Amino acid sequence: MRFFLFIFTQTLRNICHSWGVQLMTLLTVTLSVLIFSFFYLIYTNMLQAGEKLGQELRLTVYLESPLNPAEQEEFKKKVNSFGKVEKIIFITPEQAFQRLAKQLGNDSDVLADLSPAFLPFSAEIYPEKDFHNLSRIKEFSDYLKNLPGTQKVQYGQAWVERFGHFVKLLRFIVIISGTLLILTTLFMVSSTLRLTLYARQDELKVLRYLGATNSYIKGPVLIEGFALGLFGSSLGLGALFFLFQWIKINFSSAVFLGLFELRFLPMTTSAVILLGSIMLCTLGSLLSIRRLLKR
Amino acid sequence: MVETLNESLSPHDHSVLVEIVKVTKIYPPDVMALRNVSLSAEKGELIFLTGPSGAGKTTLLKLLCRQEIPTKGLIEIDGNDLNTLSDNAIQKLRQRIGVAYQDFKLLPRLSVFQNIAMPMEVQFKNPKDIRNRVTELLAKLGLSDKQNKPAGKLSRGEQQRITIARAAANSPLLLLADEPTGNLDAVTTGLVMDLFQELNENGSTIIIATHDESIYRGTNHRKFELQQGELF
């Protein structure tokens, strides 16, 4: 108990002595956590958006000729052999004509002199509601294109591919920013603490002459690292939460954001970021004091 | 490596506490600070090391607290060979040795109280006991009104008394004092010597390096003279 009392007293003494540098380090940790978690928040929300859009995704296969019930069963078997699909609906030219008329609304009279026969027989394929299918949609489309009797396949290729690339880019940014920010935090914390320790070299020397053990010298430095990680990441996550709330309140009516509900980082993710920061900062402080005690 | 320390301290126990056998210290490149010095001190003894400046007194004290390592020879404190002790064991031994440095080695930004409390804090002593002991030492050395002042703001005489108080704080097994009265007047010299006397009566072995004849003249304690690194 007394050990901890002395270690905490010593820690407070150190923090008071170099509060300016400590504050700068705290802000660095806060900003690092804020930047990383901000990208991660966007990434997770994009995944969620992709999932939502994936649920509404369907592929339309235009066929060269109508299929009888036996051919329809055969077609279903072939489609299912690629991957699981939720349902397949066959659309006759008449049903397609009715849909078109409905979509045209008041302008449906343009179809007055036309026969439904100009529209092809088609099949609407609804893939399983799994976002990961998005990346396989192109492969699925190519497979369907090669089925006998297929004229054309449509699924909104352009946006699916763009969205896929965007999510990939975002994942890349999250990984790169995460790695860089981890290295930055580690470097900043160990360098700052080492600087404060260099400034206290005389004090450390005197402490050694008075018989201070390594744990007496290391303890406060490790607690400083721990506190920097704890408070820095808490502040970073807190700032992210307020930023998130502000975006939610001010932009929830925007068309894009209206597609899905924005969600904050789950508790487990926040806890992992918090613990990760604490571990990084404690490791940084350990590195700084180890180098100094070796001298 | 010797990991454990022999720990024994009873007042006026006449076994040997400090054993120095044929110790030589050469500073690079070839400055002979000590040559074949042998000396032993019993527990509870008070010894004066005299000699002119540069004779090797400070070097000998530095060797005893393992601030320096001898080039040749053996040094034992309470049965522990300083050459073979592990880092941790050295730190434990240093906790039982009080050193009043000639250059004080105080932390100027810390208060007088904090400086004197440090050796007790590194041993995690009871805060109340620390307060009482510091207050007692400040009173004995006439520094009661200075306890909250930063050590760096005090005069050299006052700083010298603080380093002596810090060395005495743990009532150490061995107290090494390097020119402890160099900056003091007759009255404060008296206070310091009274403190040393009291510690010695309570069992501490004290080695005082000095060239101030007034503090050892007429005493019954053993005196050794160092001249150009050799003991007489």
Side-chain angles (χ1 to χ4, degrees):
Chain A
M1 188 62 198
R2 214 178 286 161
F3 171 82
F4 290 109
L5 179 73
F6 278 108
I7 296 294
F8 277 113
T9 312
Q10 191 70 20
T11 308
L12 282 176
R13 208 182 274 172
N14 295 349
I15 290 173
C16 290
H17 180 234
S18 55
W19 67 269
V21 186
Q22 304 275 6
L23 188 66
M24 292 306 287
T25 317
L26 184 76
L27 287 177
T28 309
V29 176
T30 302
L31 278 175
S32 301
V33 170
L34 178 63
I35 295 168
F36 171 73
S37 50
F38 179 71
F39 280 125
Y40 192 75
L41 182 70
I42 295 174
Y43 175 66
T44 52
N45 275 285
M46 281 297 117
L47 284 184
Q48 188 207 332
E51 204 172 314
K52 182 89 191 296
L53 293 169
Q55 284 172 8
E56 288 161 12
L57 188 76
R58 67 175 181 209
L59 293 101
T60 306
V61 181
Y62 295 103
L63 298 161
E64 286 167 352
S65 57
L67 303 178
N68 62 37
E71 287 171 330
Q72 285 181 11
E73 280 310 306
E74 187 59 26
F75 181 82
K76 277 183 186 174
K77 268 185 202 165
K78 281 178 185 167
V79 170
N80 276 311
S81 69
F82 181 87
K84 279 187 177 175
V85 294
E86 205 171 81
K87 59 182 175 181
I88 300 174
I89 300 170
F90 292 98
I91 309 289
T92 62
E94 289 75 22
Q95 286 168 323
F97 192 79
Q98 278 171 14
R99 272 192 194 177
L100 186 61
K102 203 174 172 183
Q103 279 170 8
L104 288 170
N106 293 335
D107 300 323
S108 61
D109 51 347
V110 297
L111 301 172
D113 299 329
L114 295 171
S115 145
F118 81 94
L119 292 168
F121 189 84
S122 62
E124 283 178 358
I125 299 168
Y126 293 83
E128 281 275 289
K129 284 174 184 163
D130 179 358
F131 169 72
H132 299 295
N133 273 351
L134 267 183
S135 54
R136 291 190 68 205
I137 288 293
K138 195 168 182 328
E139 284 174 50
F140 197 14
S141 161
D142 291 341
Y143 171 78
L144 293 171
K145 247 182 238 171
N146 291 325
L147 286 180
T150 301
Q151 205 175 45
K152 193 181 175 187
V153 180
Q154 272 189 342
Y155 63 93
Q157 291 91 326
W159 79 260
V160 167
E161 279 174 21
R162 272 184 213 147
F163 188 80
H165 286 139
F166 178 65
V167 170
K168 264 188 202 166
L169 176 70
L170 211 54
R171 190 185 302 147
F172 180 71
I173 290 173
V174 167
I175 292 168
I176 293 292
S177 68
T179 311
L180 289 177
L181 292 171
I182 282 171
L183 291 175
T184 308
T185 308
L186 199 60
F187 176 75
M188 277 300 296
V189 171
S190 63
S191 302
T192 315
L193 290 176
R194 206 179 316 147
L195 279 176
T196 62
L197 287 171
Y198 278 134
R200 288 174 47 213
Q201 248 180 333
D202 286 347
E203 184 182 338
L204 295 181
K205 203 191 268 180
V206 170
L207 279 170
R208 301 284 293 172
Y209 289 158
L210 295 177
T213 54
N214 277 350
S215 57
Y216 185 88
I217 295 172
K218 269 185 192 172
V221 183
L222 290 181
I223 294 175
E224 277 173 58
F226 182 92
L228 279 173
L230 177 68
F231 294 116
S233 57
S234 301
L235 283 173
L237 286 171
L240 181 72
F241 183 74
F242 284 113
L243 186 66
F244 169 80
Q245 289 297 336
W246 182 79
I247 291 172
K248 207 174 168 185
I249 290 166
N250 291 284
F251 297 97
S252 58
S253 58
V255 178
F256 177 70
L257 296 180
L259 289 173
F260 61 95
E261 194 195 349
L262 277 179
R263 282 186 201 158
F264 192 66
L265 297 174
M267 280 302 282
T268 44
T269 310
S270 304
V272 166
I273 292 174
L274 193 81
L275 288 175
S277 304
I278 290 171
M279 277 175 62
L280 270 178
C281 293
T282 312
L283 181 67
S285 60
L286 187 65
L287 288 175
S288 66
I289 190 75
R290 271 183 66 184
R291 278 186 201 169
L292 205 75
L293 287 177
K294 271 183 192 169
R295 287 159 67 91
Chain B
M1 286 295 234
V2 179
E3 291 292 340
T4 51
L5 286 175
N6 300 321
E7 294 184 37
S8 57
L9 175 59
S10 59
H12 308 293
D13 177 353
H14 292 289
S15 55
V16 173
L17 179 78
V18 177
E19 189 80 78
I20 302 169
V21 182
K22 291 188 172 178
V23 164
T24 297
K25 176 68 185 175
I26 303 168
Y27 287 108
D30 55 0
V31 180
M32 179 75 75
L34 291 173
R35 187 200 304 264
N36 272 331
V37 170
S38 294
L39 172 75
S40 66
E42 288 178 358
K43 285 178 180 168
E45 200 177 1
L46 196 157
I47 290 175
F48 289 100
L49 272 179
T50 64
S53 296
K57 302 188 294 292
T58 301
T59 300
L60 189 58
L61 296 190
K62 281 181 176 176
L63 292 173
L64 287 172
C65 61
R66 212 2 174 88
Q67 211 178 313
E68 296 283 353
I69 301 165
T71 312
K72 269 197 301 189
L74 170 81
I75 299 177
E76 278 188 359
I77 308 272
D78 204 18
N80 300 291
D81 179 354
L82 296 194
N83 288 331
T84 58
L85 284 181
S86 68
D87 278 355
N88 201 38
I90 286 166
Q91 292 310 103
K92 292 283 177 203
L93 182 68
R94 279 174 173 171
Q95 289 179 4
R96 299 163 66 204
I97 301 175
V99 187
Y101 296 94
Q102 191 174 13
D103 58 354
F104 314 143
K105 292 201 193 310
L106 297 174
L107 298 178
R109 65 179 175 82
L110 294 190
S111 69
V112 170
F113 184 98
Q114 287 171 324
N115 268 286
I116 299 172
M118 276 170 76
M120 291 182 276
E121 285 181 351
V122 300
Q123 291 186 42
F124 308 113
K125 288 197 170 165
N126 187 323
K128 197 179 162 192
D129 293 344
I130 294 177
R131 250 193 326 274
N132 291 341
R133 179 64 174 156
V134 174
T135 310
E136 181 194 348
L137 286 166
L138 287 170
K140 281 181 177 164
L141 294 171
L143 290 166
S144 294
D145 56 334
K146 311 280 185 194
Q147 68 165 338
N148 295 319
K149 296 223 163 121
K153 301 273 181 195
L154 301 183
S155 69
R156 287 186 65 79
E158 288 166 330
Q159 289 187 10
Q160 185 143 42
R161 279 179 279 162
I162 298 166
T163 195
I164 290 163
R166 188 179 64 186
N170 277 326
S171 302
L173 176 68
L174 173 66
L175 193 147
L176 308 170
D178 195 359
E179 301 288 359
T181 56
N183 297 284
L184 306 181
D185 57 28
V187 177
T188 42
T189 296
L191 293 176
V192 167
M193 291 314 293
D194 286 347
L195 177 66
F196 285 155
Q197 195 62 43
E198 185 191 313
L199 286 167
N200 184 234
E201 280 166 10
N202 288 327
S204 292
T205 302
I206 301 177
I207 300 178
I208 301 171
T210 183
H211 57 245
D212 179 359
E213 210 181 311
S214 71
I215 63 170
Y216 60 81
R217 199 190 309 126
T219 65
N220 297 325
H221 303 295
R222 287 200 292 159
K223 292 174 267 300
F224 295 91
E225 190 177 353
L226 269 166
Q227 276 184 5
Q228 292 181 327
E230 287 186 79
L231 200 65
F232 296 95

